[in-house]
Amino acid sequence: GIMGAMEEEISSLIGLLTDTQTDHIGGRTYYSGKLNHQDVVIVFSMWGKVAAAITVTTLIELFQIQELIFTGVAGAIHPDLNIGDVVIGTRFVQHDMDSSPMIPKYELPLIKKTFIESSSDLKEQAADIIQNMLEENHLHQLISQDELDQFGITKPSLFIGEIASGDQFISNGEKKHQLRAAFPELLCVEMEGAAVAQVCDAFHIPFLIIRTISDCADTHAEINFVEFIKEVANKYSKAIVNKLMC
Ligand code: ADE
């Protein structure tokens, strides 16, 4: 299963499919077909934790996927991250989960876990593919110098670590500061990953979540968002998924 939180991203991946069949279920379109001779199902998850949970449960239960790859964009929380960097998530937390005082803040009720770890064997392979893609000469084959300049991307890097998700687009310094104080190791924030992690964990499906940094979760967060997805995140996702499926 290949899921994306951005419609533009999914459209470019669908272009790689052969023998495509489409199914409309629960307000989503699922594109089944072959990508480099492997059976895949590609779908746009829509935004937020519930939307992502609906989509991934459908992929698991109706399409019987064996593994999930999720790509999308995220806002940087850690000061070392910049626009154009890529994050592979190792563990996921829902930053808006709070059943205190009954249950410690951020803990998933009754599951007794705060973080869900990614169990995918594809993490190392993905890391190699992304490192390679971000090398200067390879990056220039994918994205023009003008586009890199437009988003201030100079030497993009790969980071591997913690991701937080919640049903909020983070675009102010105070909230960013709170997240950093609550989760000192946190790399970035988005709106689906921890929900995907919880569903996959419940059904014992390995999952890999890859996020491109589109903004720094501050007051400039909405600027050029759509353009960034079209010109950068889309191209990264297509290149990464295509290589992963070889
Ligand atoms: N996805 C991309 N940027 C984000 C942000 N700043 N907050 C939440 N989700 C995001």
Side-chain angles (χ1 to χ4, degrees), residues 20 25 59 68 72 78 90 93 97-98 135 151 164 169 176 180 200 208 214 224 229 233 235:
T20 316
I25 303 162
L59 281 173
L68 185 84
H78 198 286
T90 51
V93 60
M97 174 59 74
D98 186 0
E135 277 171 20
F151 298 104
F169 186 84
K176 182 172 172 173
R180 194 150 158 64
C200 287
L208 172 72
S214 58
N224 280 341
I229 289 157
K235 294 178 184 169

Side-chain angles (χ1 to χ4, degrees), residues 6 72-77 95 164 166-172 189-192 211-218 221-222 225 229:
M6 291 294 157
V73 290
I77 296 294
H95 68 75
D167 289 320
Q168 289 165 8
F169 186 84
I170 308 297
S171 58
N172 75 74
V189 66
E190 35 83 319
M191 299 175 69
E192 298 82 18
R211 292 285 184 170
T212 300
I213 300 301
S214 58
D215 60 89
C216 293
D218 54 18
E222 83 289 2
F225 198 69
I229 289 157

Side-chain angles (χ1 to χ4, degrees), residues 16-57:
L16 300 171
L17 278 186
T18 54
D19 306 333
T20 316
Q21 186 193 317
T22 57
D23 292 281
H24 303 281
I25 303 162
R28 284 123 179 96
T29 307
Y30 293 80
Y31 299 87
S32 312
K34 289 202 185 293
L35 205 173
N36 301 332
H37 308 290
Q38 292 201 58
D39 290 324
V40 297
V41 187
I42 300 179
V43 59
F44 165 44
S45 65
M46 320 245 277
W47 295 359
K49 292 184 294 156
V50 175
I54 292 169
T55 318
V56 71
T57 306

